[in-house]
Amino acid sequence: MLNEDLLYLLLPGFIHGETVEFREYRDACPVRVLDRYTLEIAGEFPAALVRFDVELKPGKLDYRTLYNQLSEYPSGEFVDVGPLDLGFPAPPRMQIPMLAVSLDGELFGKMWFEMPSVEQVRARTLSGVFVLDFPEGGQHRITIAVDEGDRDRLDLTMVRSIAARPDRRRLAEIAPKTGWRPDVPWLFLGGRTVEELRGQR
């Protein structure tokens, strides 16, 4: 799926065992694979929000890692339940894997893969999205790495593609309420008055 607004499309190339190489399909920007869990993109980005769509190859992720054994009511027997986003193993962990995203050498945040659709469950695949803000645009370096806690089940050989394109959404400017004081609790009334809410008691 190549759209005219596509900035970059990263695709895996040569794969040998646990080693994988990535390249931008038009060679529009350099891509470095630092290790089997980490890649780096150095490219020109517009002054805009930029969306990155990450897709895994079907059947590569061990889907059993998205399930937890929970007790079934009323039998009390343990059964596999999932896919789950938040699991309850010991120690606790997210059942959905994560990617760590860095912008120009500083950790920006972590992307959780999205809960899979019915079609994705059948195909045994996952996808996820993260967005970076480039207020002024220009040359930037993006590092995408499998989170350390997920490296026992996910690596770059499982990635099908990473697509970057401008995101047409805008950042919302949120200003404090006029006269707001941090020492006074804020009540959210849903557009109703205190008297109206009291009358519902």
Side-chain angles (χ1 to χ4, degrees):
M1 182 177 66
L2 304 180
N3 296 336
E4 59 183 15
D5 64 346
L6 190 68
L7 296 174
Y8 303 115
L9 178 63
L10 278 57
L11 300 172
F14 175 77
I15 298 178
H16 179 69
E18 297 178 348
T19 303
V20 60
E21 295 179 1
F22 273 79
R23 61 181 290 267
E24 206 283 328
Y25 85 107
R26 298 164 299 182
D27 291 325
C29 71
V31 182
R32 294 176 57 214
V33 176
L34 307 183
D35 55 47
R36 60 182 289 203
Y37 306 106
T38 312
L39 62 79
E40 184 180 272
I41 313 162
E44 192 78 19
F45 291 90
L49 294 176
V50 176
R51 168 190 176 119
F52 294 77
D53 291 86
V54 184
E55 291 190 18
L56 298 186
K57 297 175 183 175
K60 293 297 183 180
L61 179 72
D62 185 355
Y63 243 63
R64 292 173 298 178
T65 65
L66 306 183
Y67 288 70
N68 253 190
Q69 281 211 331
L70 300 176
S71 59
E72 187 179 45
Y73 180 82
S75 68
E77 296 181 1
F78 281 86
V79 296
D80 287 332
V81 177
L84 299 173
D85 52 358
L86 177 62
F88 306 94
R93 66 181 287 178
M94 293 299 297
Q95 291 299 118
I96 292 289
M98 295 188 291
L99 299 179
V101 179
S102 296
L103 174 59
D104 296 327
E106 294 188 11
L107 179 65
F108 178 83
K110 296 187 178 182
M111 183 206 83
W112 287 336
F113 282 89
E114 297 172 358
M115 284 292 290
S117 64
V118 173
E119 292 76 15
Q120 288 178 316
V121 171
R122 290 172 180 159
R124 294 298 191 261
T125 187
L126 290 176
S127 62
V129 176
F130 65 90
V131 176
L132 296 177
D133 181 24
F134 300 96
E136 298 179 359
Q139 190 76 17
H140 292 280
R141 179 166 47 93
I142 316 299
T143 306
I144 302 172
V146 177
D147 191 66
E148 291 186 3
D150 292 311
R151 294 187 176 187
D152 58 339
R153 56 175 172 166
L154 180 63
D155 60 46
L156 292 180
T157 65
M158 302 178 186
V159 176
R160 179 181 183 180
S161 65
I162 301 175
R165 56 172 51 87
D167 193 312
R168 292 182 175 83
R169 292 174 294 182
R170 295 183 179 180
L171 291 176
E173 294 291 337
I174 301 177
K177 181 180 178 181
T178 303
W180 174 77
R181 290 171 42 192
D183 59 331
V184 177
W186 225 13
L187 296 177
F188 295 90
L189 307 179
R192 292 171 290 182
T193 66
V194 174
E195 289 71 22
E196 288 173 336
L197 293 175
R198 284 176 177 165
Q200 295 180 1
R201 291 187 302 175

